[in-house]
Amino acid sequence: MTAFAPDSLVLNRKLPLWYQVSQSLRASILGRRPHDPLRLPTEERLAAHYGVSVLTMRQALKELEEEGLISRHRRRGTFIEPGARAAAPRRLLGSIDAIVAQQSGEPATVLGHGPAPVPGELAEHFPGLDEVVEYRRLRHDGESGEPVNWVENAVRPEVAARIEVSDLERWPMTKVLRDLVGVRISRITDTVEARLADPVTAELLRVPLLSPILHYTGVTYDADGRVVDVARIRYRGDRFAFSVTVEADPTGEARPL
């Protein structure tokens, strides 16, 4: 039987290796095509693919098994659950792969795209630009079809020229920019705040006007320090949880990951 082929991963040695591997594999699973094989490669092959030890790979698979994305059968192998879907809340430890994984697995409908004036609240991110290319998408729950969030991306025109709109129906913008367009992403800064649903958000997410939502802003920088994309995502308050892990360093000071 042909095994499922996961995406590649560049490891960040400042984060737990098992976590990075689990998040990369999670994104691959949630973004797979319907006809892709359900059987995963062996632990040994996966470990070699990611460049980690078998023990690290085993810990990563355990995480996915506990989430219900895979099942493991003695002598038969490890298989993706046919109905595998994203679960919430998710742990985010600061890697780009974690952001890709968090955004993967929810079918998206492209509501529209095209050139637009730089929004006033984003002018600081695009100095010297009069226009960006905006993409508007609505994400749905894979089982119920219920809307869970909608997103506006403001992308630099020269970068947007290399984006295939059809890819945004399958993949999150971060993955499209990094893996398909070839942007060397250096960092992403995230802001999450509570807001009240405006008329557009209330209609798209099917929630009462002025009901609580979570508003996420993600600013993506390339290797030259330029902002290439600003994402503004409105989440239904009952469908998303955001958490930050704080770890004590050897001096006893707490630091966010």
Side-chain angles (χ1 to χ4, degrees):
M1 179 185 295
T2 302
F4 179 75
D7 291 344
S8 59
L9 170 66
V10 177
L11 293 169
N12 180 342
R13 296 294 168 178
K14 295 182 180 181
L15 296 173
L17 297 182
W18 67 266
Y19 172 79
Q20 296 178 70
V21 170
S22 71
Q23 293 302 293
S24 176
L25 188 51
R26 182 182 189 277
S28 296
I29 289 172
L30 293 176
R32 73 192 188 284
R33 295 182 176 91
H35 60 270
D36 284 344
L38 292 176
R39 185 174 185 173
L40 290 180
T42 64
E43 289 180 351
E44 291 77 11
R45 289 191 176 186
L46 283 172
H49 173 78
Y50 285 114
V52 298
S53 69
V54 172
L55 186 62
T56 296
M57 193 67 239
R58 196 166 293 159
Q59 188 174 3
L61 291 172
K62 183 172 182 282
E63 178 84 358
L64 298 179
E65 185 178 25
E66 290 177 351
E67 191 176 339
L69 294 180
I70 63 173
S71 58
R72 311 181 75 186
H73 306 274
R74 190 173 183 179
R75 296 191 180 91
R76 290 180 53 215
T78 302
F79 295 83
I80 299 170
E81 285 296 314
R85 57 188 294 270
R90 298 155 190 143
R91 289 183 289 173
L92 301 181
L93 298 186
S95 73
I96 291 175
D97 285 285
I99 293 174
V100 170
Q102 183 269 315
Q103 297 173 348
S104 297
E106 295 163 344
T109 300
V110 177
L111 302 176
H113 66 94
V118 175
E121 66 269 28
L122 303 186
E124 64 177 299
H125 300 302
F126 298 105
L129 285 184
D130 295 323
E131 282 190 342
V132 291
V133 178
E134 284 193 342
Y135 298 85
R136 293 159 52 93
R137 289 168 294 148
L138 180 65
R139 293 197 183 106
H140 310 268
D141 180 274
E143 291 185 356
S144 67
E146 189 176 53
V148 293
N149 65 69
W150 81 279
V151 55
E152 289 180 300
N153 289 90
V155 182
R156 298 186 73 90
E158 66 271 25
V159 175
R162 307 201 301 272
I163 293 175
E164 295 290 339
V165 176
S166 59
D167 289 330
L168 294 174
E169 297 177 350
R170 181 185 178 203
W171 298 113
M173 179 65 81
T174 304
K175 181 176 178 65
V176 170
L177 291 174
R178 185 190 65 178
D179 298 343
L180 303 183
V181 174
V183 173
R184 294 174 56 210
I185 297 176
S186 62
R187 72 183 191 277
I188 299 175
T189 61
D190 297 336
T191 303
V192 179
E193 58 185 315
R195 290 192 182 181
L196 300 179
D198 57 47
V200 173
T201 297
E203 180 179 0
L204 289 174
L205 299 186
R206 302 178 194 167
V207 297
L209 183 64
L210 301 182
S211 62
I213 62 164
L214 285 176
H215 188 283
Y216 162 94
T217 302
V219 183
T220 300
Y221 297 81
D222 66 12
D224 296 322
R226 297 184 313 163
V227 172
V228 294
D229 168 52
V230 179
R232 291 170 291 170
I233 310 177
R234 291 82 166 176
Y235 291 91
R236 283 180 50 153
D238 59 346
R239 296 305 305 268
F240 183 78
F242 180 83
S243 62
V244 176
T245 299
V246 176
E247 180 184 85
D249 66 19
T251 67
E253 295 292 330
R255 58 183 176 85
L257 294 175

